[in-house]
Amino acid sequence: MTDKTDIVATQPAKGAPKSTGRRKFLTGAATAAGAGVATVAMPQISRAQTTTLTMQTSWPVSDIFQEMAQQYADRVNEMSGGRLQIDVQPAGAIVAAFQVQDACHDGVLDAAHTVSAYWYGKNKAASLFGTGPVFGIDGAQLIAWFQYGGGQALYNELVQDQLALDVVGFYSFAMPTQPFGWFAEEPTSIEDVQGLKYRTVGLSADLNQALGLAVTQLPGGEIVPAMERGVIDAFEYNNPTSDRRFGAQDVVKNYMLGSYHQACESFELIFNRERFESLAPELQAILRYAGEAANTANYGLAMDNYSKDLQALINEAGVNVKRTPQSIMEAQLAAWDEVVAPLMEGDDLFRRIIESQKEWAERVGFYSLMNSADYKAAYEHYFPGKLTF
């Protein structure tokens, strides 16, 4: 319980005169009034006991995603004035990377910082909240759908009603398009990747299987060891910084940027529902809105690091960085249609999520694409010859 602030009355100084002249009386009254106003206006500082939430991520301690989770925690801690603290732990500290949702449901964890693709094995509709088909909108516009286009209600229906999970969740940080990934030989056509043992997650697994790849789903920390043992031939993870930090450039040298396999993903912030709802309403609001604040902070950190690490991969590690051929991306779009159609027929909720996203994308994508400047032309105007596509 918050303590009441003690208000101490100021007593007259010992020996002060018992009567004053009119001028002194008015002056004293004004001073006392001013002091009274100042006392009332003083901020009421909460002395409530600090609540600490244990949040585990799905990321290795060295991953930039762990820094992004900490950015979220820092904002919660500061915005709550110390009443709410989040203790951020890396993958494996308490449970495995793919087990954080179950741990939140069971109350083993208070919270988790993850992506919904990691639990798509429970219901493939999970992947639609970040790693589903691309309808012409980006990750920021998909988060906007979640907030304003009905996505939150559909997410709650999936998680709380259909899966009966005792969790509360929302989304933060619209990730840039994820690269197609790392290959021993530079692929120039879809035939070049067919038959490869390829790491990915979520519905991207279904997509790449439809394209003829043999898919293995692994957490980020297990990718390079799997590549070194020959368990996989090629892989994608997320971005140049994460990829460089876990040593992708040490096992393979061809890095293909641009893809439709995961072009709209965002972080998922989840909380044990009972724990979340036990908090005061203002603390619940802080947990939610700190995600929006972290969205901006994460993006700034990403742009600074991703761009620098991409240059380091090229100039220091000798990586061959290319844009994924248009023919492969066209094959991905066709494969998305093949993957999604039967899932829509067999799952009413999956169908309604897809229809909701397409309705949103048709309107929002039209505005965005009609209105966006030609950034590529502007870049080439000032930096001619840099781009190779």
Side-chain angles (χ1 to χ4, degrees):
M1 178 179 295
T2 304
D3 296 336
K4 294 180 179 178
T5 303
D6 294 330
I7 301 176
V8 180
T10 303
Q11 300 296 329
K14 186 176 181 180
K18 296 183 179 179
S19 62
T20 61
R22 184 173 184 274
R23 182 181 298 277
K24 289 184 178 180
F25 174 81
L26 292 174
T27 302
T31 302
V37 170
T39 300
V40 172
M42 286 178 64
Q44 301 297 301
I45 300 173
S46 170
R47 297 189 180 94
Q49 183 177 357
T50 297
T51 297
T52 299
L53 302 179
T54 299
M55 169 182 275
Q56 188 192 293
T57 75
S58 293
W59 327 121
V61 68
S62 61
D63 196 334
I64 193 171
F65 287 176
Q66 192 71 9
E67 297 175 40
M68 292 175 174
Q70 190 62 52
Q71 285 185 313
Y72 171 74
D74 290 344
R75 279 150 183 77
V76 170
N77 300 347
E78 188 168 350
M79 290 164 67
S80 67
R83 291 176 60 193
L84 193 57
Q85 299 282 324
I86 295 185
D87 177 26
V88 181
Q89 297 292 325
I94 302 170
V95 298
F98 284 2
Q99 299 303 314
V100 293
Q101 187 195 60
D102 287 337
C104 283
H105 167 71
D106 294 334
V108 175
L109 294 174
D110 298 316
H113 188 277
T114 187
V115 289
S116 58
Y118 282 3
W119 53 274
Y120 110 118
K122 295 177 181 176
N123 189 306
K124 292 190 176 183
S127 199
L128 298 178
F129 295 93
T131 55
V134 180
F135 300 123
I137 58 175
D138 61 18
Q141 291 158 345
L142 191 67
I143 286 184
W145 165 78
F146 187 84
Q147 295 173 332
Y148 295 98
Q152 178 78 71
L154 290 164
Y155 172 88
N156 291 346
E157 181 178 349
L158 171 62
V159 173
Q160 297 173 358
D161 299 340
Q162 191 164 118
L163 297 178
L165 294 171
D166 192 27
V167 300
V168 172
F170 39 91
Y171 286 80
S172 178
F173 179 45
M175 299 177 187
T177 297
Q178 296 180 35
F180 190 31
W182 296 81
F183 298 84
E185 301 292 335
E186 178 187 335
T188 60
S189 68
I190 195 64
E191 290 76 21
D192 291 339
V193 298
Q194 290 174 336
L196 293 180
K197 293 176 289 184
Y198 178 77
R199 180 272 175 193
T200 189
V201 293
L203 272 175
S204 173
D206 300 58
L207 171 73
N208 282 285
Q209 286 171 345
L211 290 169
L213 289 81
V215 174
T216 298
Q217 302 199 47
L218 296 169
E222 299 179 20
I223 294 174
V224 167
M227 189 77 178
E228 291 173 333
R229 297 194 312 270
V231 175
I232 55 176
D233 304 314
F235 58 91
E236 63 81 29
Y237 180 59
N238 189 279
N239 64 80
T241 297
S242 295
D243 292 353
R244 184 182 179 220
R245 288 188 184 184
F246 67 59
Q249 70 278 6
D250 298 329
V251 294
V252 70
K253 293 294 185 181
N254 293 288
Y255 193 29
M256 309 302 294
L257 301 186
S259 179
Y260 285 124
H261 78 285
Q262 288 177 327
C264 294
E265 192 167 22
S266 305
F267 289 137
E268 182 187 30
L269 300 166
I270 58 175
F271 298 86
N272 174 271
R273 186 174 183 177
E274 182 177 354
R275 186 73 161 129
F276 182 86
E277 293 179 351
S278 73
L279 298 171
E282 67 270 20
L283 297 183
Q284 294 181 29
I286 286 172
L287 289 175
R288 181 177 299 277
Y289 296 129
E292 296 181 6
N295 184 75
T296 301
N298 290 173
Y299 184 77
L301 185 67
M303 290 300 97
D304 184 32
N305 283 269
Y306 293 6
S307 60
K308 288 189 295 189
D309 282 310
L310 182 62
Q311 292 303 311
L313 288 171
I314 296 169
N315 299 320
E316 299 173 19
V319 173
N320 175 40
V321 175
K322 292 290 182 66
R323 185 164 174 82
T324 299
Q326 188 66 23
S327 62
I328 292 179
M329 288 199 278
E330 289 173 358
Q332 288 176 330
L333 287 178
W336 269 126
D337 293 340
E338 178 183 338
V339 166
V340 167
L343 293 173
M344 291 181 66
E345 292 176 3
D347 186 330
D348 177 68
L349 180 56
F350 190 101
R351 175 187 58 78
R352 286 188 286 116
I353 295 171
I354 288 287
E355 290 176 349
S356 177
Q357 289 181 344
K358 290 182 73 174
E359 180 181 0
W360 176 263
E362 184 176 12
R363 173 166 55 86
V364 172
F366 178 85
Y367 161 72
S368 179
L369 294 168
M370 287 291 288
N371 185 61
S372 294
D374 187 342
Y375 293 108
K376 181 181 178 183
Y379 185 92
E380 291 179 325
H381 175 78
Y382 289 102
F383 311 107
K386 295 282 289 187
L387 298 177
T388 58
F389 67 96

